[in-house]
Amino acid sequence: LVAKEAAVEYFDLKDSCWELTYRFANEPENKDDDNNNDNNNKVPRKFYSGRVQLQFLSDGYTTNLSNQGQQQVVVSEQQAIINKVWGWDLEVSDQDSLRYILFSADITLPPPINTSERFYFQARVDGGETEGEAPLSLVDGSVTVKRDISAPSGGWWGIFRGADGILAQFRQLGEFKCRPIAKP
């Protein structure tokens, strides 16, 4: 007989624990390949997937439970390594008036990409707002990265030459799902 795991429910994000199952790429899908002749400098698009267990602490910090008290074990040399997870925030969207949790993580991608950068995570928060309501669920998780916008040559855009990083946007790289887990 296999012991059945008891269902875990949270009604507040503070001190809640979650397992994220993610799948994301190192680069966003390039929508303008046909208009861009710069494909020689293009980084190959590679996908990464895995799981990580996080605890959203009451002070706004986040603990990575997956590598707590142990050296991070690399299962495969093709696995992304989550080095640090930064604080979390709960925000209400101006666009749809729904609640979203936002947090970021510094992630190292293995060769041939061989880079470390900050990835941003966002999920809609359903339930748990008032007493007697349904337990919290984190849904529609997306993984994004901040990328500079390359300004077209000439004209008005010339004022941004040499000012890299001023024009930037968040580009979606993948998705994640969440399930509540028991506190350690």
Side-chain angles (χ1 to χ4, degrees), residues 21-175:
T21 303
Y22 59 83
R23 183 174 191 272
F24 61 84
N26 62 308
E27 287 293 327
E29 187 175 6
N30 196 352
K31 296 176 184 171
D32 58 3
D33 273 343
D34 298 335
N35 302 336
N36 190 352
N37 295 331
D38 199 19
N39 286 338
N40 294 340
N41 297 332
K42 188 175 175 185
V43 176
R45 194 162 190 242
K46 183 160 176 36
F47 284 90
Y48 302 92
S49 61
R51 290 185 177 162
V52 63
Q53 294 182 344
L54 303 177
Q55 182 174 15
F56 299 121
L57 302 175
S58 61
D59 59 6
Y61 287 98
T62 306
T63 300
N64 183 346
L65 300 173
S66 297
N67 62 4
Q68 197 174 37
Q70 63 186 30
Q71 284 288 0
Q72 178 135 3
V73 177
V74 178
V75 178
S76 155
E77 55 186 53
Q78 296 304 310
Q79 181 179 352
I81 300 171
I82 299 175
N83 300 310
K84 170 128 178 90
V85 182
W86 296 93
W88 64 275
D89 192 22
L90 184 65
E91 295 184 358
V92 176
S93 170
D94 292 337
Q95 295 175 345
D96 60 14
S97 298
L98 297 174
R99 298 178 307 149
Y100 292 88
I101 184 171
L102 310 163
F103 60 95
S104 60
D106 292 341
I107 299 177
T108 300
L109 302 177
I113 306 305
N114 206 27
T115 186
S116 183
E117 66 182 304
R118 185 149 307 156
F119 290 77
Y120 298 86
F121 295 75
Q122 171 181 303
R124 190 178 76 238
V125 179
D126 288 344
E129 204 167 1
T130 58
E131 205 145 324
E133 197 172 322
L136 286 175
S137 63
L138 304 181
V139 295
D140 296 337
S142 66
V143 182
T144 58
V145 67
K146 191 175 181 181
R147 290 286 185 251
D148 288 342
I149 297 174
S150 56
S153 59
W156 182 82
W157 289 100
I159 64 170
F160 291 107
R161 295 279 177 239
D164 294 337
I166 289 178
L167 293 176
Q169 65 181 348
F170 286 93
R171 301 279 310 270
Q172 184 161 349
L173 299 176
E175 301 172 337

